[in-house]
Amino acid sequence: PRPLAHLLNAVFWDSQRFWRFAMGPASIKDHHNGWNGNLRHSVAVAEHARDLGSGNPLVNVPLLIAAGLLHDAGKADEYRFNQTWGRFHLSDRGELIGHRDTLIEWLAVARENLRDGLPEDLYLSLLHIVNAAKAPAWVGLREPRCLEAEILSLADRLSGTEDIHERYAPADGQSGFGDFNPRNGRRCYVTSRVERS
């Protein structure tokens, strides 16, 4: 829908911000940790979320897709590439504020600058979907209250796990155990395929 498309465009209107979003990693040492990782991860999350939410009358699928594309947008300013070290590292903003709060700032400014603003209920829902998380109450995060927030969380984890499995799977598409993943301390396993008759 037009209000969501306008909001998405407003967040990424700054070409340098969009370049950093599209070129940077989704993490430094975990899933999608190389060049273009954040864009690949965000698109995968939006696609998984769309697939999980489609056909459910309780789910606003366009809002879910927008949330999937935006959920890690703040990582455009969370990581910087250091030419000397030859790798990405956390920026000062990344260390002190983080990508979630950065995204909230950007969404607030984008919404303020739109002539055809996003209705309040959709705006609050979008903020909730991209920020809700299961965490101890003292952290201050809100538990997911809508199905879209639950679905986004599932799609986010699925995308990250897929990337790790692809990276550490057995060579040449074989089944069985793959390489050892030092981040989680175990090897992934790929099951053999059964041919359809």
Side-chain angles (χ1 to χ4, degrees):
R2 189 172 305 248
L4 284 172
H6 286 181
L7 185 69
L8 201 78
N9 288 337
V11 167
F12 290 123
W13 193 255
D14 177 333
S15 63
Q16 289 302 307
R17 177 186 292 168
F18 183 73
W19 187 89
R20 292 189 309 272
F21 166 76
M23 298 302 291
S27 68
I28 292 179
K29 294 181 180 176
D30 203 22
H31 70 90
H32 298 92
N33 62 8
W35 290 100
N36 306 110
N38 201 26
L39 178 63
R40 288 184 292 112
H41 171 61
S42 296
V43 169
V45 169
E47 289 175 343
H48 286 315
R50 177 203 60 212
D51 294 346
L52 290 167
S54 290
N56 188 323
L58 299 177
V59 175
N60 182 328
V61 175
L63 188 63
L64 187 55
I65 292 169
L69 292 171
L70 287 168
H71 83 286
D72 278 348
K75 289 184 178 181
D77 281 357
E78 187 163 62
Y79 302 123
R80 290 289 181 261
F81 188 77
N82 184 303
Q83 297 287 352
T84 305
W85 302 339
R87 62 182 169 86
F88 285 96
H89 66 96
L90 277 174
S91 66
D92 290 348
R93 177 174 269 274
E95 293 240 10
L96 296 173
I97 298 175
H99 69 280
R100 288 177 187 245
D101 289 339
T102 296
L103 175 58
I104 290 173
E105 287 178 16
W106 293 350
L107 287 170
V109 170
R111 184 173 186 235
E112 187 66 30
N113 290 332
L114 291 176
R115 274 184 289 143
D116 301 325
L118 193 64
E120 181 74 6
D121 64 328
L122 288 178
Y123 178 68
L124 290 176
S125 295
L126 178 63
L127 290 176
H128 176 72
I129 294 166
V130 298
N131 284 297
K134 294 186 188 298
W138 59 266
V139 172
L141 295 174
R142 299 298 178 255
E143 291 266 337
R145 298 272 182 112
C146 61
L147 200 47
E148 292 89 351
E150 296 281 2
I151 290 171
L152 184 71
S153 178
L154 291 170
D156 192 14
R157 282 197 329 268
L158 179 58
S159 171
T161 301
E162 280 178 332
D163 184 66
I164 296 296
H165 276 265
E166 287 170 8
R167 199 166 337 135
Y168 293 100
D172 301 327
Q174 299 297 314
S175 61
F177 283 104
D179 293 331
F180 181 78
N181 177 355
R183 294 293 293 164
N184 68 12
R186 55 185 185 264
R187 298 182 301 158
C188 70
Y189 184 83
V190 175
T191 56
S192 59
R193 290 186 172 79
V194 176
E195 296 297 323
R196 292 184 181 200
S197 51

